Amino acid sequence: MKTNDLFYLILVFFGCTFGCQKIDKIDKTDREVTRLTDQWEFQFQDTLENAWTTVTVPHDWAISMPFDKSIDMQEVLVLEDGERVPKLRTGRTGALPHIGKGFYRNTLQFSNQDKGKKVFVQFDGAMSHAKVYLNKAFVGSWPYGYSSFEFDITPYIKYNKENLLEVHLENKPLSSRWYPGAGIYRDVRIVKTNPVYVKNWGTFITTPEIISSNGKVNIKTNVQNDSDQPKNIEVIQSIFYNNERVSSNTKTLKLGTSNQEIEMNLEVAFPKLWSIETPNLYQVVTQIAVGDEIVDTYKSQFGFRTIKFTNNEGFFLNGQPVKFKGVCLHHDLGPLGAAHNTSAWRHRLMKMKEMGANAIRSTHNPSDPSLVQLADELGFLFVAEAFDEWEEAKTENGYNKLWHEWAEKDLVALIHRDRNHPSLIMWSIGNEIREQNKKDGYKNAQFLTDIVHREDPTRPSTAGFNNYKAAIDNGLADAVDIPGWNYKPHKYKVTHEKHPEWKMYGSETASTVSSRGEYFFPAKEGKHKIRPSLHANSFDMDFPNWAQTPDREFKAQENSEFMMGEFVWTGYDYLGEPTPYNEEWPTKSSYFGIIDLAGIPKDRFYLYKSHWSDEKVLHLLPHWNWKEGQTVSVHCYTNYDKAELFINGKSMGVKSKNPSKLYDTYRLRWDDITYHAGEVKVVALNEKGEAIAEEVKFTAGQPHQLKIEVDRSEVKANGEEIVYATVSVLDKKGILCPRANNLITFDIDGEGTIRAVGNGDPTSLESFVDHQRKAFNGKCVTILQSSKNEGGITLKANSAGLVSAEVTVSSKNSI
């Protein structure tokens, strides 16, 4: 250890010993936070004839209702032969009845002990045009359904009496381009504080200097005094790592009857860096003392890390180059709808991690706050996106109606809520906004960028531009700190040559479409390919008019060292936008996902895994149930350089990666293969031609039995934990029947419920809440949810003529 490092540690020790004692003075006067989850009553539409039903929040009122192609049909202009022609889109917003009014109410109790306190109601999001009332008095409104917001309800409280909290919501038609969800679909909290308190999102934590022996921490804290006189206060800031205090500081001041930003600096010895591989997190505990009493305690999370964006060498995290291996994620959870569930999101992100992804773009709106929290914990870089629309309309009743009054408020709310998270690296102010086509469109981009710089000088602004020429010519690409390009791999090099100062990345890439387990021969590129089955090819070579295959984006990124990486559209299928079947019915969900709507990986999962992860991958497609003598294509998604294909033991030849041909660079292909029932096997070979790995597929017989696989065997008994149970239809030998569509029914016993069912079929109109589901290409999923009691959760799957299956998951108070 160097002498100056030892001296620094001594200073930190004595500074913490003699300046940190107030941290131990936590007492009963701390703030009280209560989640409002149970005992909500809900009524749909504006009529007294509808009965109130008891629901749990988060809640999506539309997800349990039937699909209907007439719901929110939208006419859009589509470019055909150089002209824009009107087309009617049926499933654009998911074909679920999310349009209309929803009314929620809950009863709150406040005692005499609450007198003199400040009481707030906080919403992580409510879809949409929220109006909040307490005891019939109007408290406030917040129209943007994706924003988090807070209202002070103190003036409206009746003590020692029942207090009626009401929330009125309205989803207007023609207001979204995808399924937005409906209802109080994120968490609600009641927060009680003393009159002197830290405001909501009231800390801004930065790390202005980080060296191996010392990390400097700057904390700006917004403290409010709502009492009737100035107060002499102490602000005690303490930093914890793994529940151990590592630094502390105290400031004494006189606080007037208003709010004041208080700035303090602390130091941490030998800070542990936050990174993708080691997501180390620290916690700041802010305490406010008046006299000898701690009157408020507020906790914030942060991490030590450095980020650097360059124009020639890409992105650097903690001084090391990192390529974005990113995915775009919409906010719905497929069969669960838009009702937020942290457990389900953790499951999703773990699947993305397994695939090799290291970054998330929350599209095209503010996510639930827990998503960036999960990114912190699991080690993902995060791009927080604010808007899909500015002043220029994409949809008749979209954000354009809110722009002038709410754009700054919504962006500030997002930044203040999320700016302490180390995973967050950029603020995206817009996606494919129509201002790209306006000569003065840059003004709105500059307006939002200026807000980003004012509220968080530590991170750049960005936006996703799809209109390449207009975004540049009209100045929008210059108005953001980092332009992101949607579907422009062929423009990366020419843009870099013309604008070498720009730092760039693929903000939205590929948009390849596929249906899990659907294969069409020969395997070749299909641009906006329409098929009678309303499915897309699982060889991952189908794409809409504007898009590309993963292979093409891989090649462009590798040939452009200056590019910082990509964000694939999308990690998961989502409700709405059933491209390319926008005018066909029945289609109600996207085909873009690497994982389908039910949570089952498509073949494409293994293509990305083979390119992004360090794990060896050998994935063979398609399945092996075809007509005898049929000509088929066989592909292998792999990061092995060479492999040999065998059919029933007969070699079909050795294939090697060939970077001179696009589709031989990242996959191995055997086209024009004659199908014979039995066994297909691919064997990976080393440089000497020796076998080093293999994968085998067999021709399946008739459906005989069911099998259930769960993503985990234990869950927490908190009434919210989710278990994904995948049910497969197998033959007598245990081989998946790849075309099976048997109707499967589910029974649940014990301490859990069936929350939803799905099969990943974009054309299926079966209910998400029925206890039955047809298998789609041999598989479907049941999503279970724990109760608040310990015990077993037993799921049984049955299908006529098949051997049933059963699985039990343990539910415990602590795991």
Side-chain angles (χ1 to χ4, degrees):
M1 179 180 293
K2 296 179 180 179
T3 304
N4 57 344
D5 289 343
L6 178 61
F7 178 70
Y8 167 73
L9 282 175
I10 293 171
L11 285 178
V12 170
F13 172 78
F14 281 104
C16 203
T17 300
F18 296 109
C20 307
Q21 299 306 308
K22 289 286 181 68
I23 191 68
D24 299 320
K25 297 200 309 183
I26 299 174
D27 61 22
K28 63 182 180 180
T29 60
D30 284 351
R31 63 174 56 203
E32 180 183 338
V33 180
T34 305
R35 286 178 65 210
L36 295 182
T37 57
D38 301 330
Q39 301 305 312
W40 284 92
E41 291 186 304
F42 168 73
Q43 184 182 107
F44 181 56
Q45 298 294 28
D46 193 7
T47 170
L48 295 177
E49 296 178 1
N50 288 341
W52 290 90
T53 57
T54 301
V55 299
T56 299
V57 165
H59 177 247
D60 181 348
W61 81 57
I63 197 64
S64 62
M65 297 185 184
F67 296 97
D68 185 340
K69 72 175 183 178
S70 67
I71 294 169
D72 205 25
M73 285 195 297
Q74 297 185 17
E75 187 176 87
V76 298
L77 294 178
V78 178
L79 191 64
E80 287 188 0
D81 299 325
E83 295 185 5
R84 291 197 174 273
V85 296
K87 294 283 187 178
L88 193 63
R89 294 187 171 178
T90 54
R92 195 183 195 196
T93 55
L96 286 167
H98 67 278
I99 297 166
K101 296 179 179 180
F103 301 87
Y104 292 82
R105 66 187 185 189
N106 206 332
T107 301
L108 310 178
Q109 299 286 342
F110 300 98
S111 68
N112 285 332
Q113 291 181 336
D114 295 319
K115 288 183 178 180
K117 292 185 178 181
K118 297 290 295 184
V119 183
F120 304 90
V121 60
Q122 297 177 348
F123 293 82
D124 287 341
M127 189 62 68
S128 57
H129 294 275
K131 295 179 180 178
V132 179
Y133 301 82
L134 188 66
N135 298 321
K136 299 300 181 181
F138 177 67
V139 173
S141 65
W142 204 288
Y144 193 30
Y146 299 104
S147 277
S148 299
F149 56 93
E150 173 190 82
F151 295 131
D152 183 355
I153 61 173
T154 312
Y156 313 102
I157 291 174
K158 296 178 181 178
Y159 299 95
N160 293 321
K161 295 182 179 180
E162 288 189 345
N163 289 259
L164 181 64
L165 175 67
E166 296 175 283
V167 182
H168 297 181
L169 301 171
E170 181 179 8
N171 279 354
K172 297 182 179 181
L174 307 177
S175 62
S176 181
R177 299 192 299 119
W178 54 83
Y179 178 68
I184 306 179
Y185 71 115
R186 296 177 181 170
D187 273 356
V188 183
R189 291 173 295 279
I190 294 294
V191 178
K192 300 176 185 178
T193 73
N194 284 292
V196 180
Y197 59 96
V198 178
K199 296 192 71 175
N200 189 34
W201 312 324
T203 59
F204 182 25
I205 305 166
T206 57
T207 53
E209 184 179 317
I210 305 171
I211 58 176
S212 61
S213 61
N214 180 21
K216 294 185 177 180
V217 183
N218 179 269
I219 307 172
K220 296 181 177 70
T221 306
N222 198 320
V223 182
Q224 179 81 24
N225 180 8
D226 280 335
S227 70
D228 56 3
Q229 57 185 347
K231 299 287 185 181
N232 293 317
I233 69 168
E234 280 184 298
V235 180
I236 307 121
Q237 300 282 20
S238 298
I239 299 176
F240 288 80
Y241 179 76
N242 283 345
N243 295 318
E244 293 186 8
R245 186 177 57 200
V246 295
S247 184
S248 189
N249 200 358
T250 302
K251 178 175 282 190
T252 303
L253 68 148
K254 188 171 185 177
L255 181 66
T257 55
S258 60
N259 68 289
Q260 182 175 336
E261 184 179 84
I262 299 162
E263 185 172 0
M264 296 175 64
N265 293 296
L266 289 80
E267 296 187 1
V268 172
F270 301 102
K272 298 182 183 298
L273 297 183
W274 182 94
S275 71
I276 293 167
E277 297 78 19
T278 58
N280 293 302
L281 295 170
Y282 288 76
Q283 186 179 63
V284 168
V285 176
T286 303
Q287 293 185 291
I288 309 299
V290 178
D292 291 329
E293 183 181 16
I294 298 293
V295 297
D296 194 26
T297 299
Y298 188 87
K299 297 178 180 179
S300 313
Q301 183 175 277
F302 79 103
F304 290 97
R305 58 99 176 104
T306 63
I307 55 175
K308 181 182 178 182
F309 304 84
T310 73
N311 59 330
N312 285 318
E313 298 175 303
F315 172 76
F316 289 78
L317 177 67
N318 300 325
Q320 299 299 315
V322 175
K323 274 269 193 181
F324 302 149
K325 301 172 184 175
V327 295
C328 300
L329 292 174
H330 260 311
H331 73 297
D332 79 68
L333 287 165
L336 296 172
H340 180 79
N341 183 282
T342 301
S343 172
W345 271 109
R346 181 180 292 276
H347 169 86
R348 286 192 160 204
L349 295 194
M350 290 302 291
K351 293 300 292 183
M352 293 292 98
K353 197 83 171 176
E354 177 188 340
M355 186 180 70
N358 65 12
I360 298 163
R361 175 181 173 228
S362 69
T363 47
H364 297 299
N365 39 259
S367 68
D368 185 273
S370 70
L371 189 56
V372 67
Q373 172 67 30
L374 286 170
D376 280 357
E377 296 173 6
L378 299 176
F380 285 91
L381 302 170
F382 196 87
V383 178
E385 194 152 86
F387 306 113
D388 182 59
E389 185 176 296
W390 295 347
E391 189 175 10
E392 294 295 309
K394 289 184 181 179
T395 54
E396 181 178 325
N397 291 312
Y399 198 83
N400 65 90
K401 301 289 187 182
L402 308 176
W403 168 261
H404 290 286
E405 182 180 354
W406 287 95
E408 182 169 7
K409 297 175 187 176
D410 284 319
L411 182 55
V412 168
L414 172 62
I415 294 172
H416 283 196
R417 189 192 74 180
D418 290 346
R419 63 186 176 181
N420 291 333
H421 290 280
S423 61
L424 203 155
I425 59 170
M426 287 188 281
W427 301 107
S428 178
I429 58 174
N431 171 70
E432 300 183 356
I433 32 76
R434 292 288 173 85
E435 274 82 349
Q436 291 173 102
N437 301 313
K438 291 186 64 179
K439 291 294 183 183
D440 62 349
Y442 71 92
K443 293 180 179 179
N444 285 346
Q446 192 62 57
F447 165 67
L448 296 175
T449 290
D450 289 344
I451 294 172
V452 168
H453 292 169
R454 182 189 74 205
E455 302 299 329
D456 180 12
T458 71
R459 296 179 179 89
S461 71
T462 186
F465 298 119
N466 65 323
N467 195 331
Y468 170 82
K469 187 175 187 301
I472 295 174
D473 292 346
N474 293 331
L476 280 82
D478 271 319
V480 297
D481 299 315
I482 299 177
W485 300 114
N486 290 9
Y487 312 109
K488 296 295 181 287
H490 54 293
K491 295 291 187 180
Y492 293 159
K493 284 195 171 183
V494 67
T495 306
H496 183 60
E497 291 170 0
K498 291 182 178 179
H499 301 275
E501 75 282 6
W502 281 354
K503 307 157 188 177
M504 304 186 299
Y505 69 106
S507 44
E508 199 168 305
T509 63
S511 265
T512 306
V513 293
S514 62
S515 302
R516 176 183 54 78
E518 292 287 327
Y519 304 96
F520 302 93
F521 307 117
K524 63 179 182 178
E525 283 194 354
K527 188 174 182 178
H528 214 86
K529 182 71 173 179
I530 302 296
R531 298 183 176 87
S533 66
L534 305 185
H535 284 299
N537 201 346
S538 205
F539 281 103
D540 302 311
M541 300 172 80
D542 281 5
F543 52 89
N545 291 324
W546 67 84
Q548 298 88 25
T549 59
D551 312 64
R552 203 168 293 279
E553 183 67 31
F554 291 165
K555 183 74 77 172
Q557 290 284 338
E558 289 186 342
N559 291 336
S560 307
E561 291 184 1
F562 53 87
M563 292 295 292
M564 293 184 286
E566 65 168 315
F567 288 84
V568 180
W569 190 264
T570 52
Y572 274 75
D573 276 335
Y574 56 93
L575 289 163
E577 291 193 317
T579 312
Y581 301 106
N582 296 297
E583 289 87 47
E584 288 76 17
W585 183 259
T587 54
K588 77 342 177 147
S589 58
S590 84
Y591 296 72
F592 296 118
I594 297 170
I595 295 179
D596 73 19
L597 195 71
I600 305 172
K602 303 178 185 179
D603 290 290
R604 205 172 342 140
F605 178 91
Y606 301 96
L607 180 58
Y608 279 99
K609 184 175 182 178
S610 69
H611 187 60
W612 281 356
S613 80
D614 295 328
E615 184 179 333
K616 282 299 182 182
V617 176
L618 192 68
H619 177 76
L620 190 63
L621 62 153
H623 61 74
W624 209 238
N625 276 62
W626 303 102
K627 293 180 180 178
E628 193 68 25
Q630 180 179 354
T631 300
V632 301
S633 298
V634 178
H635 287 194
C636 180
Y637 295 163
T638 183
N639 40 24
Y640 291 103
D641 290 330
K642 183 165 56 174
E644 186 172 8
L645 186 73
F646 296 88
I647 297 178
N648 297 325
K650 183 179 179 181
S651 176
M652 297 292 107
V654 175
K655 297 288 184 180
S656 298
K657 296 284 184 69
N658 182 1
S660 67
K661 295 182 179 180
L662 177 64
Y663 291 110
D664 293 326
T665 305
Y666 309 101
R667 58 177 91 188
L668 299 174
R669 300 184 295 160
W670 292 263
D671 289 316
D672 300 322
I673 294 292
T674 301
Y675 170 77
H676 295 291
E679 173 193 283
V680 60
K681 177 170 67 174
V682 64
V683 179
L685 306 173
N686 62 17
E687 293 180 356
K688 297 179 180 180
E690 299 167 334
I692 51 178
E694 68 175 41
E695 186 189 18
V696 182
K697 289 192 174 184
F698 300 94
T699 302
Q702 291 300 309
H704 175 75
Q705 59 187 313
L706 300 177
K707 179 182 179 181
I708 305 176
E709 298 171 282
V710 292
D711 66 322
R712 50 187 175 153
S713 58
E714 290 184 343
V715 293
K716 193 172 183 179
N718 62 3
E720 298 180 36
E721 290 292 297
I722 291 296
V723 176
Y724 284 82
T726 302
V727 182
S728 301
V729 181
L730 310 179
D731 70 3
K732 281 187 177 182
K733 295 180 180 180
I735 301 168
L736 177 72
C737 299
R739 300 298 291 167
N741 63 352
N742 304 65
L743 179 65
I744 302 170
T745 60
F746 306 102
D747 294 300
I748 190 82
D749 188 37
E751 297 301 333
T753 59
I754 293 175
R755 176 72 184 273
V757 296
N759 62 12
D761 181 0
T763 70
S764 171
L765 302 182
E766 298 166 274
S767 170
F768 288 131
V769 297
D770 281 353
H771 289 197
Q772 62 179 28
R773 194 73 170 188
K774 284 185 177 180
F776 174 57
N777 291 332
K779 294 186 177 184
C780 62
V781 170
T782 306
I783 303 174
L784 312 178
Q785 184 167 296
S786 68
S787 74
K788 295 183 179 180
N789 302 315
E790 285 193 316
I793 306 170
T794 299
L795 174 71
K796 189 171 185 178
N798 298 279
S799 184
L802 303 184
V803 178
S804 63
E806 184 177 301
V807 69
T808 298
V809 175
S810 176
S811 181
K812 300 180 179 180
N813 288 331
S814 61
I815 58 171

